[in-house]
Amino acid sequence: MQRNDRVRTLTYMALFAAISTLLMYIEMPLPFLPPFLKLDISGAPILLAAFLFGPWQAVGITLVKDLVHLLSTQTGGVGELADFLMLASFALLCGYLYRYVHNRKGALISLSVGTVILVAVGALSNWFLLIPFYSKIMPIEAIVGACQAINKNINSIAAYIWVGVVPFNLIKGVVISLLTFLLYKRLSGLVHRQPKAAPTRIDKSRQV
């Protein structure tokens, strides 16, 4: 990679990291799901970066985003760690799959498989990281009660995972995958467009 190309890539990556960080602060609750779960689309710039620049570049953007978010964390860093594990896994898988099947079908396959990984890692992160953290702040019964007030089917932590966390991350994966799929081709032409070379000046005094 030439120096100019490297600088362009780093500039775009910094821009994507900034956009992703801002989007993480814009959250929206979903009806019939626990109040702790709020949807944001900060993963879309990360997936776009995985397709445009590569999987590890996308992981770097995810790390920057979550480190910045640590400055205003309300979970002692546990929420940011869970977010990093989920989105980094999603981006790594999507980036590598799309690299080997570099077409529209490959994009759809990678985003679909990546969504499954997002759901799985999200369930594990909640079970082993987020729930133990929140259980130190409020009793498990209170957590279940708050969820049951929204959805009566959530009567245990296991039900919270299956009825709340899994559908939530499935919706999240579909939303950011759809945004990535719709925006990628338009951004690809812009990001990878090569600047036109300056016309060569002809020195007429040397012409014979």
Side-chain angles (χ1 to χ4, degrees):
M1 181 183 292
Q2 295 180 354
R3 184 177 183 278
N4 289 342
D5 293 337
R6 191 181 299 113
V7 171
R8 278 169 55 86
T9 298
L10 289 174
T11 302
Y12 276 116
M13 286 176 60
L15 177 62
F16 278 48
I19 294 172
S20 183
T21 300
L22 290 174
L23 290 175
M24 193 174 184
Y25 289 96
I26 304 174
E27 300 176 320
M28 179 181 66
L30 297 177
F32 307 113
L33 289 178
F36 312 109
L37 303 175
K38 295 182 180 181
L39 179 66
D40 69 77
I41 57 172
S42 63
I46 292 170
L47 290 186
L48 286 167
F51 283 176
L52 291 167
F53 310 119
W56 288 106
Q57 288 84 342
V59 171
I61 290 174
T62 310
L63 180 61
V64 170
K65 171 182 74 82
D66 286 315
L67 287 176
V68 172
H69 203 264
L70 273 176
L71 300 175
S72 59
T73 183
Q74 297 179 347
T75 63
V78 176
E80 286 73 21
L81 175 59
D83 182 81
F84 175 77
L85 293 174
M86 292 166 59
L87 290 179
S89 301
F90 197 174
L92 272 176
L93 183 64
C94 287
Y96 273 114
L97 285 178
Y98 186 65
R99 176 177 292 181
Y100 290 106
V101 190
H102 198 73
N103 53 36
R104 183 181 293 266
K105 181 179 179 180
L108 288 173
I109 292 173
S110 65
L111 291 170
S112 299
V113 177
T115 298
V116 174
I117 294 299
L118 178 72
V119 171
V121 177
L124 293 173
S125 296
N126 272 268
W127 188 269
F128 291 107
L129 293 174
L130 292 172
I131 292 174
F133 170 81
Y134 282 113
S135 66
K136 295 178 181 178
I137 299 176
M138 58 192 300
I140 292 291
E141 294 77 12
I143 297 175
V144 173
C147 296
Q148 201 167 25
I150 302 296
N151 189 329
K152 63 180 181 180
N153 295 317
I154 303 177
N155 53 18
S156 66
I157 291 299
Y160 167 73
I161 297 294
W162 287 106
V163 181
V165 173
V166 169
F168 170 79
N169 282 317
L170 181 60
I171 293 170
K172 182 174 182 177
V174 170
V175 169
I176 61 179
S177 293
L178 182 60
L179 288 172
T180 302
F181 188 78
L182 293 175
L183 294 174
Y184 169 66
K185 281 300 180 183
R186 299 176 184 180
L187 288 176
S188 179
L190 175 66
V191 171
H192 295 303
R193 183 173 56 195
Q194 295 295 328
K196 294 182 180 180
T200 303
R201 184 176 180 180
I202 301 175
D203 189 351
K204 295 183 180 181
S205 64
R206 295 188 178 181
Q207 290 182 343
V208 179

